[in-house]
Amino acid sequence: MNAQVKFDYTDQLIVITGGTRGIGRALTEHFLRANAKVIATYRSNDEKAEQLKTEYSDFSERLILRKFDVSNAEEVKTFWTELSANHNNCSVLINNSGIRRDSVMASMENSNWDAVLDTNLKGTFLMSKEAVLYFMKKRYGRIINMSSVGGKLGLPGQANYAASKAAQVAMSKVLSKEVGKRNITVNNVLPGFIDTELLADLPDEQIKEYKRQIPIKRFGTTTEVANTVLFLASKEAAYINGASIEVSGGL
């Protein structure tokens, strides 16, 4: 059930935003094990980044950590300028940076609406915009957005999160049509309830209720998500463009 699909990303550079925690950490691990060079970005948690670096010290020559805010246009521009100057083999961008600030809409702080939309949606826009300019020169690239079934389900208390994830899918559909002729594909992976620290703050009763709603009756694993991402990032997925693939156990 949790076996890793075998892919070979030798000589390819993969950029994973939010790549030091949760699903992003799992993606970093799986791409490293598939022989890729990975730039894992993060915004603020130095402790988690250092833990990742220590845990995967065997891959130290192929793991690069970069700290910046994906919602800051200047910082994103600087990141891609430096990447372009130092690497000519970046082939995949995975927009995984995401946050939650849950609250019923009537009492949601404006700042929590802005924070979620800035990171989850604006960050995807800024990173994808710069990636497209890089990939167009190569006439090849893969952009994969880690969206969520929450954008479709509309879970109570997640108006900001659901809006950001639904908008990711809509934006990706447009971008996929704009860049497909350049051999650049843009797709979305929509995880359901995946067993990560993002769910750690949920009450036990809520966890039980969510599991009751899932036809497979369990939360998914990060490996199951990573297997899907590795396929979409591969050359074998060349004719999949503008798609949204759910990894949700049937929600």
Side-chain angles (χ1 to χ4, degrees), residues 168-203:
Q168 264 187 325
V169 172
M171 183 173 65
S172 300
K173 195 69 175 179
V174 173
L175 184 58
S176 70
K177 294 179 178 179
E178 293 175 346
V179 300
K181 63 185 177 182
R182 301 296 184 95
N183 203 26
I184 302 169
T185 63
V186 186
N187 293 293
N188 304 279
V189 173
L190 281 61
F193 295 108
I194 306 301
D195 194 7
T196 70
E197 60 196 51
L198 198 62
L199 300 180
D201 60 342
L202 295 177

PDB file of all heavy atoms in Angstrom, residues 168-203:
ATOM      1  N   GLN A 168      -6.662  27.961  -6.937  1.00  0.00           N
ATOM      2  CA  GLN A 168      -5.466  27.323  -7.481  1.00  0.00           C
ATOM      3  C   GLN A 168      -5.809  26.493  -8.712  1.00  0.00           C
ATOM      4  O   GLN A 168      -5.134  26.553  -9.739  1.00  0.00           O
ATOM      5  CB  GLN A 168      -4.822  26.404  -6.436  1.00  0.00           C
ATOM      6  CG  GLN A 168      -3.693  27.000  -5.640  1.00  0.00           C
ATOM      7  CD  GLN A 168      -3.020  25.954  -4.773  1.00  0.00           C
ATOM      8  OE1 GLN A 168      -3.655  25.034  -4.256  1.00  0.00           O
ATOM      9  NE2 GLN A 168      -1.726  26.088  -4.606  1.00  0.00           N
ATOM     10  N   VAL A 169      -6.863  25.697  -8.590  1.00  0.00           N
ATOM     11  CA  VAL A 169      -7.276  24.825  -9.691  1.00  0.00           C
ATOM     12  C   VAL A 169      -7.691  25.657 -10.895  1.00  0.00           C
ATOM     13  O   VAL A 169      -7.307  25.370 -12.032  1.00  0.00           O
ATOM     14  CB  VAL A 169      -8.416  23.894  -9.243  1.00  0.00           C
ATOM     15  CG1 VAL A 169      -8.989  23.130 -10.433  1.00  0.00           C
ATOM     16  CG2 VAL A 169      -7.918  22.916  -8.177  1.00  0.00           C
ATOM     17  N   ALA A 170      -8.489  26.704 -10.667  1.00  0.00           N
ATOM     18  CA  ALA A 170      -8.948  27.555 -11.767  1.00  0.00           C
ATOM     19  C   ALA A 170      -7.778  28.242 -12.457  1.00  0.00           C
ATOM     20  O   ALA A 170      -7.707  28.297 -13.696  1.00  0.00           O
ATOM     21  CB  ALA A 170      -9.940  28.588 -11.238  1.00  0.00           C
ATOM     22  N   MET A 171      -6.859  28.769 -11.676  1.00  0.00           N
ATOM     23  CA  MET A 171      -5.693  29.446 -12.239  1.00  0.00           C
ATOM     24  C   MET A 171      -4.837  28.475 -13.042  1.00  0.00           C
ATOM     25  O   MET A 171      -4.326  28.809 -14.113  1.00  0.00           O
ATOM     26  CB  MET A 171      -4.868  30.081 -11.118  1.00  0.00           C
ATOM     27  CG  MET A 171      -3.664  30.885 -11.597  1.00  0.00           C
ATOM     28  SD  MET A 171      -2.849  31.768 -10.241  1.00  0.00           S
ATOM     29  CE  MET A 171      -2.241  30.404  -9.255  1.00  0.00           C
ATOM     30  N   SER A 172      -4.688  27.265 -12.533  1.00  0.00           N
ATOM     31  CA  SER A 172      -3.888  26.259 -13.219  1.00  0.00           C
ATOM     32  C   SER A 172      -4.489  25.883 -14.564  1.00  0.00           C
ATOM     33  O   SER A 172      -3.755  25.626 -15.527  1.00  0.00           O
ATOM     34  CB  SER A 172      -3.768  25.003 -12.350  1.00  0.00           C
ATOM     35  OG  SER A 172      -3.156  25.305 -11.134  1.00  0.00           O
ATOM     36  N   LYS A 173      -5.805  25.821 -14.616  1.00  0.00           N
ATOM     37  CA  LYS A 173      -6.466  25.477 -15.870  1.00  0.00           C
ATOM     38  C   LYS A 173      -6.138  26.502 -16.942  1.00  0.00           C
ATOM     39  O   LYS A 173      -5.864  26.162 -18.101  1.00  0.00           O
ATOM     40  CB  LYS A 173      -7.985  25.398 -15.650  1.00  0.00           C
ATOM     41  CG  LYS A 173      -8.742  24.707 -16.756  1.00  0.00           C
ATOM     42  CD  LYS A 173      -8.432  23.220 -16.777  1.00  0.00           C
ATOM     43  CE  LYS A 173      -9.283  22.492 -17.801  1.00  0.00           C
ATOM     44  NZ  LYS A 173      -8.966  21.041 -17.847  1.00  0.00           N
ATOM     45  N   VAL A 174      -6.163  27.763 -16.558  1.00  0.00           N
ATOM     46  CA  VAL A 174      -5.818  28.831 -17.497  1.00  0.00           C
ATOM     47  C   VAL A 174      -4.361  28.721 -17.925  1.00  0.00           C
ATOM     48  O   VAL A 174      -4.037  28.744 -19.121  1.00  0.00           O
ATOM     49  CB  VAL A 174      -6.081  30.216 -16.865  1.00  0.00           C
ATOM     50  CG1 VAL A 174      -5.573  31.324 -17.778  1.00  0.00           C
ATOM     51  CG2 VAL A 174      -7.572  30.404 -16.591  1.00  0.00           C
ATOM     52  N   LEU A 175      -3.462  28.596 -16.953  1.00  0.00           N
ATOM     53  CA  LEU A 175      -2.039  28.551 -17.261  1.00  0.00           C
ATOM     54  C   LEU A 175      -1.694  27.349 -18.130  1.00  0.00           C
ATOM     55  O   LEU A 175      -0.861  27.448 -19.039  1.00  0.00           O
ATOM     56  CB  LEU A 175      -1.222  28.523 -15.975  1.00  0.00           C
ATOM     57  CG  LEU A 175       0.306  28.565 -16.123  1.00  0.00           C
ATOM     58  CD1 LEU A 175       0.741  29.808 -16.887  1.00  0.00           C
ATOM     59  CD2 LEU A 175       0.981  28.503 -14.756  1.00  0.00           C
ATOM     60  N   SER A 176      -2.340  26.218 -17.889  1.00  0.00           N
ATOM     61  CA  SER A 176      -2.049  25.017 -18.686  1.00  0.00           C
ATOM     62  C   SER A 176      -2.335  25.245 -20.161  1.00  0.00           C
ATOM     63  O   SER A 176      -1.644  24.697 -21.033  1.00  0.00           O
ATOM     64  CB  SER A 176      -2.861  23.831 -18.163  1.00  0.00           C
ATOM     65  OG  SER A 176      -4.250  23.979 -18.454  1.00  0.00           O
ATOM     66  N   LYS A 177      -3.336  26.056 -20.459  1.00  0.00           N
ATOM     67  CA  LYS A 177      -3.688  26.342 -21.853  1.00  0.00           C
ATOM     68  C   LYS A 177      -2.744  27.376 -22.463  1.00  0.00           C
ATOM     69  O   LYS A 177      -2.558  27.406 -23.678  1.00  0.00           O
ATOM     70  CB  LYS A 177      -5.136  26.828 -21.933  1.00  0.00           C
ATOM     71  CG  LYS A 177      -6.142  25.747 -21.549  1.00  0.00           C
ATOM     72  CD  LYS A 177      -7.570  26.248 -21.603  1.00  0.00           C
ATOM     73  CE  LYS A 177      -8.553  25.124 -21.261  1.00  0.00           C
ATOM     74  NZ  LYS A 177      -9.956  25.573 -21.269  1.00  0.00           N
ATOM     75  N   GLU A 178      -2.164  28.199 -21.626  1.00  0.00           N
ATOM     76  CA  GLU A 178      -1.255  29.229 -22.127  1.00  0.00           C
ATOM     77  C   GLU A 178       0.134  28.678 -22.464  1.00  0.00           C
ATOM     78  O   GLU A 178       0.790  29.186 -23.373  1.00  0.00           O
ATOM     79  CB  GLU A 178      -1.122  30.348 -21.087  1.00  0.00           C
ATOM     80  CG  GLU A 178      -2.409  31.143 -20.869  1.00  0.00           C
ATOM     81  CD  GLU A 178      -2.292  32.158 -19.755  1.00  0.00           C
ATOM     82  OE1 GLU A 178      -1.318  32.084 -18.967  1.00  0.00           O
ATOM     83  OE2 GLU A 178      -3.175  33.034 -19.654  1.00  0.00           O
ATOM     84  N   VAL A 179       0.563  27.651 -21.737  1.00  0.00           N
ATOM     85  CA  VAL A 179       1.953  27.208 -21.886  1.00  0.00           C
ATOM     86  C   VAL A 179       2.106  25.792 -22.433  1.00  0.00           C
ATOM     87  O   VAL A 179       3.224  25.333 -22.659  1.00  0.00           O
ATOM     88  CB  VAL A 179       2.708  27.310 -20.538  1.00  0.00           C
ATOM     89  CG1 VAL A 179       2.705  28.740 -20.044  1.00  0.00           C
ATOM     90  CG2 VAL A 179       2.108  26.365 -19.493  1.00  0.00           C
ATOM     91  N   GLY A 180       0.992  25.098 -22.667  1.00  0.00           N
ATOM     92  CA  GLY A 180       1.073  23.721 -23.142  1.00  0.00           C
ATOM     93  C   GLY A 180       1.856  23.570 -24.437  1.00  0.00           C
ATOM     94  O   GLY A 180       2.604  22.604 -24.625  1.00  0.00           O
ATOM     95  N   LYS A 181       1.716  24.542 -25.324  1.00  0.00           N
ATOM     96  CA  LYS A 181       2.414  24.469 -26.610  1.00  0.00           C
ATOM     97  C   LYS A 181       3.924  24.580 -26.459  1.00  0.00           C
ATOM     98  O   LYS A 181       4.674  24.279 -27.393  1.00  0.00           O
ATOM     99  CB  LYS A 181       1.901  25.554 -27.548  1.00  0.00           C
ATOM    100  CG  LYS A 181       2.149  26.972 -27.053  1.00  0.00           C
ATOM    101  CD  LYS A 181       1.495  27.995 -27.977  1.00  0.00           C
ATOM    102  CE  LYS A 181       1.668  29.406 -27.442  1.00  0.00           C
ATOM    103  NZ  LYS A 181       0.985  30.410 -28.310  1.00  0.00           N
ATOM    104  N   ARG A 182       4.380  25.018 -25.299  1.00  0.00           N
ATOM    105  CA  ARG A 182       5.821  25.114 -25.023  1.00  0.00           C
ATOM    106  C   ARG A 182       6.353  23.869 -24.315  1.00  0.00           C
ATOM    107  O   ARG A 182       7.442  23.890 -23.769  1.00  0.00           O
ATOM    108  CB  ARG A 182       6.106  26.358 -24.178  1.00  0.00           C
ATOM    109  CG  ARG A 182       5.682  27.682 -24.813  1.00  0.00           C
ATOM    110  CD  ARG A 182       6.443  27.973 -26.083  1.00  0.00           C
ATOM    111  NE  ARG A 182       6.105  29.278 -26.637  1.00  0.00           N
ATOM    112  CZ  ARG A 182       6.779  30.386 -26.408  1.00  0.00           C
ATOM    113  NH1 ARG A 182       7.841  30.360 -25.620  1.00  0.00           N
ATOM    114  NH2 ARG A 182       6.413  31.532 -26.952  1.00  0.00           N
ATOM    115  N   ASN A 183       5.555  22.818 -24.293  1.00  0.00           N
ATOM    116  CA  ASN A 183       5.950  21.574 -23.637  1.00  0.00           C
ATOM    117  C   ASN A 183       6.057  21.741 -22.125  1.00  0.00           C
ATOM    118  O   ASN A 183       6.874  21.091 -21.465  1.00  0.00           O
ATOM    119  CB  ASN A 183       7.264  21.029 -24.215  1.00  0.00           C
ATOM    120  CG  ASN A 183       7.430  19.538 -23.991  1.00  0.00           C
ATOM    121  OD1 ASN A 183       6.457  18.801 -23.851  1.00  0.00           O
ATOM    122  ND2 ASN A 183       8.669  19.097 -23.960  1.00  0.00           N
ATOM    123  N   ILE A 184       5.231  22.637 -21.596  1.00  0.00           N
ATOM    124  CA  ILE A 184       5.144  22.858 -20.150  1.00  0.00           C
ATOM    125  C   ILE A 184       3.753  22.414 -19.714  1.00  0.00           C
ATOM    126  O   ILE A 184       2.756  22.882 -20.267  1.00  0.00           O
ATOM    127  CB  ILE A 184       5.350  24.334 -19.786  1.00  0.00           C
ATOM    128  CG1 ILE A 184       6.706  24.835 -20.292  1.00  0.00           C
ATOM    129  CG2 ILE A 184       5.233  24.544 -18.278  1.00  0.00           C
ATOM    130  CD1 ILE A 184       6.864  26.345 -20.212  1.00  0.00           C
ATOM    131  N   THR A 185       3.677  21.503 -18.760  1.00  0.00           N
ATOM    132  CA  THR A 185       2.385  21.063 -18.260  1.00  0.00           C
ATOM    133  C   THR A 185       2.135  21.630 -16.872  1.00  0.00           C
ATOM    134  O   THR A 185       3.067  21.859 -16.098  1.00  0.00           O
ATOM    135  CB  THR A 185       2.279  19.536 -18.216  1.00  0.00           C
ATOM    136  OG1 THR A 185       3.251  19.009 -17.292  1.00  0.00           O
ATOM    137  CG2 THR A 185       2.499  18.927 -19.602  1.00  0.00           C
ATOM    138  N   VAL A 186       0.862  21.862 -16.588  1.00  0.00           N
ATOM    139  CA  VAL A 186       0.451  22.399 -15.293  1.00  0.00           C
ATOM    140  C   VAL A 186      -0.700  21.541 -14.774  1.00  0.00           C
ATOM    141  O   VAL A 186      -1.750  21.448 -15.426  1.00  0.00           O
ATOM    142  CB  VAL A 186      -0.008  23.863 -15.407  1.00  0.00           C
ATOM    143  CG1 VAL A 186      -0.293  24.438 -14.019  1.00  0.00           C
ATOM    144  CG2 VAL A 186       1.027  24.709 -16.130  1.00  0.00           C
ATOM    145  N   ASN A 187      -0.494  20.921 -13.642  1.00  0.00           N
ATOM    146  CA  ASN A 187      -1.509  20.030 -13.079  1.00  0.00           C
ATOM    147  C   ASN A 187      -1.660  20.251 -11.582  1.00  0.00           C
ATOM    148  O   ASN A 187      -0.822  20.899 -10.948  1.00  0.00           O
ATOM    149  CB  ASN A 187      -1.143  18.569 -13.356  1.00  0.00           C
ATOM    150  CG  ASN A 187      -1.209  18.227 -14.832  1.00  0.00           C
ATOM    151  OD1 ASN A 187      -2.278  18.210 -15.435  1.00  0.00           O
ATOM    152  ND2 ASN A 187      -0.049  17.945 -15.420  1.00  0.00           N
ATOM    153  N   ASN A 188      -2.714  19.698 -11.047  1.00  0.00           N
ATOM    154  CA  ASN A 188      -2.999  19.818  -9.620  1.00  0.00           C
ATOM    155  C   ASN A 188      -3.156  18.443  -8.988  1.00  0.00           C
ATOM    156  O   ASN A 188      -3.739  17.541  -9.594  1.00  0.00           O
ATOM    157  CB  ASN A 188      -4.312  20.581  -9.393  1.00  0.00           C
ATOM    158  CG  ASN A 188      -4.308  21.937 -10.043  1.00  0.00           C
ATOM    159  OD1 ASN A 188      -3.777  22.893  -9.510  1.00  0.00           O
ATOM    160  ND2 ASN A 188      -4.939  22.030 -11.209  1.00  0.00           N
ATOM    161  N   VAL A 189      -2.646  18.310  -7.782  1.00  0.00           N
ATOM    162  CA  VAL A 189      -2.918  17.135  -6.966  1.00  0.00           C
ATOM    163  C   VAL A 189      -3.761  17.599  -5.787  1.00  0.00           C
ATOM    164  O   VAL A 189      -3.422  18.577  -5.107  1.00  0.00           O
ATOM    165  CB  VAL A 189      -1.619  16.477  -6.478  1.00  0.00           C
ATOM    166  CG1 VAL A 189      -1.917  15.352  -5.492  1.00  0.00           C
ATOM    167  CG2 VAL A 189      -0.827  15.944  -7.666  1.00  0.00           C
ATOM    168  N   LEU A 190      -4.872  16.916  -5.563  1.00  0.00           N
ATOM    169  CA  LEU A 190      -5.818  17.305  -4.526  1.00  0.00           C
ATOM    170  C   LEU A 190      -5.864  16.240  -3.439  1.00  0.00           C
ATOM    171  O   LEU A 190      -6.652  15.288  -3.511  1.00  0.00           O
ATOM    172  CB  LEU A 190      -7.223  17.489  -5.116  1.00  0.00           C
ATOM    173  CG  LEU A 190      -7.541  18.782  -5.864  1.00  0.00           C
ATOM    174  CD1 LEU A 190      -6.652  18.971  -7.084  1.00  0.00           C
ATOM    175  CD2 LEU A 190      -9.012  18.805  -6.281  1.00  0.00           C
ATOM    176  N   PRO A 191      -4.998  16.362  -2.445  1.00  0.00           N
ATOM    177  CA  PRO A 191      -5.063  15.401  -1.332  1.00  0.00           C
ATOM    178  C   PRO A 191      -6.343  15.594  -0.523  1.00  0.00           C
ATOM    179  O   PRO A 191      -6.879  16.709  -0.416  1.00  0.00           O
ATOM    180  CB  PRO A 191      -3.834  15.745  -0.491  1.00  0.00           C
ATOM    181  CG  PRO A 191      -2.945  16.551  -1.392  1.00  0.00           C
ATOM    182  CD  PRO A 191      -3.877  17.291  -2.284  1.00  0.00           C
ATOM    183  N   GLY A 192      -6.797  14.498   0.043  1.00  0.00           N
ATOM    184  CA  GLY A 192      -7.870  14.569   1.025  1.00  0.00           C
ATOM    185  C   GLY A 192      -7.262  14.689   2.400  1.00  0.00           C
ATOM    186  O   GLY A 192      -6.354  15.487   2.631  1.00  0.00           O
ATOM    187  N   PHE A 193      -7.745  13.865   3.317  1.00  0.00           N
ATOM    188  CA  PHE A 193      -7.198  13.880   4.667  1.00  0.00           C
ATOM    189  C   PHE A 193      -5.948  13.005   4.701  1.00  0.00           C
ATOM    190  O   PHE A 193      -6.023  11.781   4.612  1.00  0.00           O
ATOM    191  CB  PHE A 193      -8.245  13.367   5.663  1.00  0.00           C
ATOM    192  CG  PHE A 193      -9.446  14.255   5.770  1.00  0.00           C
ATOM    193  CD1 PHE A 193     -10.671  13.863   5.240  1.00  0.00           C
ATOM    194  CD2 PHE A 193      -9.353  15.490   6.383  1.00  0.00           C
ATOM    195  CE1 PHE A 193     -11.772  14.680   5.337  1.00  0.00           C
ATOM    196  CE2 PHE A 193     -10.458  16.326   6.482  1.00  0.00           C
ATOM    197  CZ  PHE A 193     -11.669  15.919   5.960  1.00  0.00           C
ATOM    198  N   ILE A 194      -4.796  13.659   4.807  1.00  0.00           N
ATOM    199  CA  ILE A 194      -3.511  12.965   4.812  1.00  0.00           C
ATOM    200  C   ILE A 194      -2.910  13.068   6.216  1.00  0.00           C
ATOM    201  O   ILE A 194      -2.966  14.123   6.848  1.00  0.00           O
ATOM    202  CB  ILE A 194      -2.543  13.573   3.776  1.00  0.00           C
ATOM    203  CG1 ILE A 194      -3.207  13.609   2.386  1.00  0.00           C
ATOM    204  CG2 ILE A 194      -1.246  12.771   3.737  1.00  0.00           C
ATOM    205  CD1 ILE A 194      -3.636  12.261   1.845  1.00  0.00           C
ATOM    206  N   ASP A 195      -2.362  11.981   6.685  1.00  0.00           N
ATOM    207  CA  ASP A 195      -1.856  11.897   8.046  1.00  0.00           C
ATOM    208  C   ASP A 195      -0.565  12.698   8.193  1.00  0.00           C
ATOM    209  O   ASP A 195       0.542  12.177   8.034  1.00  0.00           O
ATOM    210  CB  ASP A 195      -1.610  10.433   8.410  1.00  0.00           C
ATOM    211  CG  ASP A 195      -1.409  10.238   9.903  1.00  0.00           C
ATOM    212  OD1 ASP A 195      -1.584  11.215  10.664  1.00  0.00           O
ATOM    213  OD2 ASP A 195      -1.091   9.104  10.313  1.00  0.00           O
ATOM    214  N   THR A 196      -0.707  13.993   8.479  1.00  0.00           N
ATOM    215  CA  THR A 196       0.429  14.886   8.696  1.00  0.00           C
ATOM    216  C   THR A 196       0.147  15.775   9.899  1.00  0.00           C
ATOM    217  O   THR A 196      -0.947  15.764  10.467  1.00  0.00           O
ATOM    218  CB  THR A 196       0.692  15.789   7.475  1.00  0.00           C
ATOM    219  OG1 THR A 196      -0.373  16.759   7.376  1.00  0.00           O
ATOM    220  CG2 THR A 196       0.784  14.987   6.189  1.00  0.00           C
ATOM    221  N   GLU A 197       1.117  16.599  10.239  1.00  0.00           N
ATOM    222  CA  GLU A 197       0.968  17.512  11.371  1.00  0.00           C
ATOM    223  C   GLU A 197      -0.117  18.555  11.134  1.00  0.00           C
ATOM    224  O   GLU A 197      -0.615  19.171  12.075  1.00  0.00           O
ATOM    225  CB  GLU A 197       2.301  18.211  11.640  1.00  0.00           C
ATOM    226  CG  GLU A 197       2.810  19.037  10.469  1.00  0.00           C
ATOM    227  CD  GLU A 197       4.279  19.398  10.608  1.00  0.00           C
ATOM    228  OE1 GLU A 197       5.096  18.507  10.850  1.00  0.00           O
ATOM    229  OE2 GLU A 197       4.592  20.589  10.473  1.00  0.00           O
ATOM    230  N   LEU A 198      -0.517  18.749   9.867  1.00  0.00           N
ATOM    231  CA  LEU A 198      -1.579  19.714   9.572  1.00  0.00           C
ATOM    232  C   LEU A 198      -2.896  19.299  10.201  1.00  0.00           C
ATOM    233  O   LEU A 198      -3.760  20.129  10.476  1.00  0.00           O
ATOM    234  CB  LEU A 198      -1.747  19.858   8.055  1.00  0.00           C
ATOM    235  CG  LEU A 198      -2.492  21.098   7.557  1.00  0.00           C
ATOM    236  CD1 LEU A 198      -1.750  22.363   7.946  1.00  0.00           C
ATOM    237  CD2 LEU A 198      -2.707  21.044   6.056  1.00  0.00           C
ATOM    238  N   LEU A 199      -3.070  18.003  10.447  1.00  0.00           N
ATOM    239  CA  LEU A 199      -4.297  17.495  11.061  1.00  0.00           C
ATOM    240  C   LEU A 199      -4.143  17.270  12.563  1.00  0.00           C
ATOM    241  O   LEU A 199      -5.101  16.880  13.229  1.00  0.00           O
ATOM    242  CB  LEU A 199      -4.716  16.179  10.401  1.00  0.00           C
ATOM    243  CG  LEU A 199      -5.018  16.219   8.902  1.00  0.00           C
ATOM    244  CD1 LEU A 199      -5.405  14.825   8.416  1.00  0.00           C
ATOM    245  CD2 LEU A 199      -6.123  17.214   8.594  1.00  0.00           C
ATOM    246  N   ALA A 200      -2.956  17.522  13.085  1.00  0.00           N
ATOM    247  CA  ALA A 200      -2.670  17.186  14.473  1.00  0.00           C
ATOM    248  C   ALA A 200      -3.516  17.983  15.467  1.00  0.00           C
ATOM    249  O   ALA A 200      -3.748  17.534  16.599  1.00  0.00           O
ATOM    250  CB  ALA A 200      -1.190  17.393  14.765  1.00  0.00           C
ATOM    251  N   ASP A 201      -3.998  19.158  15.045  1.00  0.00           N
ATOM    252  CA  ASP A 201      -4.744  19.997  15.980  1.00  0.00           C
ATOM    253  C   ASP A 201      -6.242  19.717  15.964  1.00  0.00           C
ATOM    254  O   ASP A 201      -7.011  20.368  16.659  1.00  0.00           O
ATOM    255  CB  ASP A 201      -4.493  21.473  15.672  1.00  0.00           C
ATOM    256  CG  ASP A 201      -4.919  21.869  14.263  1.00  0.00           C
ATOM    257  OD1 ASP A 201      -5.078  20.966  13.419  1.00  0.00           O
ATOM    258  OD2 ASP A 201      -5.092  23.078  14.020  1.00  0.00           O
ATOM    259  N   LEU A 202      -6.676  18.714  15.192  1.00  0.00           N
ATOM    260  CA  LEU A 202      -8.095  18.397  15.133  1.00  0.00           C
ATOM    261  C   LEU A 202      -8.510  17.581  16.357  1.00  0.00           C
ATOM    262  O   LEU A 202      -7.797  16.680  16.787  1.00  0.00           O
ATOM    263  CB  LEU A 202      -8.423  17.605  13.862  1.00  0.00           C
ATOM    264  CG  LEU A 202      -8.229  18.325  12.529  1.00  0.00           C
ATOM    265  CD1 LEU A 202      -8.519  17.365  11.372  1.00  0.00           C
ATOM    266  CD2 LEU A 202      -9.126  19.544  12.433  1.00  0.00           C
ATOM    267  N   PRO A 203      -9.689  17.848  16.904  1.00  0.00           N
ATOM    268  CA  PRO A 203     -10.192  17.046  18.034  1.00  0.00           C
ATOM    269  C   PRO A 203     -10.412  15.593  17.613  1.00  0.00           C
ATOM    270  O   PRO A 203     -10.719  15.306  16.457  1.00  0.00           O
ATOM    271  CB  PRO A 203     -11.514  17.732  18.385  1.00  0.00           C
ATOM    272  CG  PRO A 203     -11.436  19.091  17.775  1.00  0.00           C
ATOM    273  CD  PRO A 203     -10.585  18.953  16.554  1.00  0.00           C
TER     274      PRO A 203
END
